[in-house]
Amino acid sequence: MTDEREMKKTLRRETLARRDSLDPSWRSKVSFHLARWADELAPSPGAIVSGFWPMRSEVDVRPLMAALQERGARLSLPAILDKTTILFREFLPGAPLVDQGFGTMGPDEAAAVVEPYLMLVPLVAFDQRGHRIGYGAGYYDRAIAHLKANGHAHRLVGIAFDCQEVERVPDEPHDVVIPEILTESGLRRFASAG
């Protein structure tokens, strides 16, 4: 287990360096380009979609979230409760946002807690099997497992740049496989994920 964690740390460091080196204006163009996938991703009207407030050099999913909202989706953002737990709060236009830590923002405690149908999942690295590396805290792995156990999170779509693909992500028992990844090259579906 220690070897896998060390390999993940190395992959995380190397992949973040590649992502950080991308031109900021190009990253912005890609973020708007991904919004064109809204028709393919949009759940039925009224279904809840969780996005995320971008941090560091992540893909900015806010244009995609806005496009999904135009197609009838209700939006949510993660809220960090403690060192192990996130939940999702409804994100309404004009509602106050508060600092969630790590450079992210989210709805305040007055916002309704919701359970998403479609989750746009942030990641640091991914492989062609749909395995991902996050930032190392395991928030999303635990949140997805909890939501799936309660009959939610029916569709998981990782959001990344192509440069975040690695040859192989080391497997750990708690890791959640992401069946679809959206990058500037398009939407990829992984046969081994499920």
Side-chain angles (χ1 to χ4, degrees):
M1 199 66 69
T2 302
D3 288 344
E4 286 86 0
R5 289 197 177 129
E6 285 305 315
M7 289 172 60
K8 282 186 176 184
K9 282 182 184 178
T10 299
L11 285 173
R12 188 177 290 117
R13 184 178 61 253
E14 292 170 352
T15 306
L16 285 174
R18 283 195 306 274
R19 193 181 76 186
D20 290 346
S21 71
L22 296 172
D23 178 68
S25 63
W26 182 84
R27 286 197 315 255
S28 179
K29 288 177 188 171
V30 168
S31 295
F32 281 95
H33 171 75
L34 295 186
R36 292 188 237 175
W37 286 89
D39 286 336
E40 173 73 23
L41 297 176
S44 58
I48 298 168
V49 173
S50 69
F52 54 92
W53 198 268
M55 62 184 207
R56 299 192 248 183
S57 56
E58 283 181 330
V59 173
D60 186 347
V61 294
R62 292 175 292 184
L64 176 56
M65 290 171 61
L68 290 168
Q69 188 174 44
E70 288 172 5
R71 287 154 180 81
R74 292 171 55 200
L75 301 179
S76 66
L77 290 171
I80 298 172
L81 293 187
D82 55 43
K83 291 184 179 189
T84 63
T85 310
I86 59 172
L87 52 71
F88 297 87
R89 291 190 176 130
E90 189 162 18
F91 176 44
L92 299 170
L97 296 176
V98 296
D99 184 353
Q100 294 293 324
F102 307 104
T104 65
M105 302 291 286
D108 65 16
E109 292 181 3
V113 174
V114 295
E115 296 183 317
Y117 175 87
L118 165 63
M119 294 181 72
L120 304 177
V121 182
L123 55 90
V124 171
F126 69 95
D127 66 21
Q128 61 184 322
R129 302 172 304 141
H131 290 251
R132 70 180 270 281
I133 297 174
Y135 290 94
Y139 285 115
Y140 270 85
D141 288 323
R142 285 187 296 277
I144 291 167
H146 173 77
L147 288 164
K148 284 191 167 291
N150 290 326
H152 300 281
H154 295 279
R155 189 171 184 191
L156 308 174
V157 179
I159 305 293
F161 295 107
D162 285 337
C163 72
Q164 293 173 250
E165 184 173 2
V166 298
E167 186 175 330
R168 187 173 181 88
V169 170
D171 301 7
E172 291 188 76
H174 66 272
D175 292 339
V176 173
V177 177
I178 305 296
E180 300 173 89
I181 303 282
L182 179 61
T183 71
E184 68 269 23
S185 295
L187 184 65
R188 294 192 247 175
R189 293 183 173 97
F190 302 105
S192 64

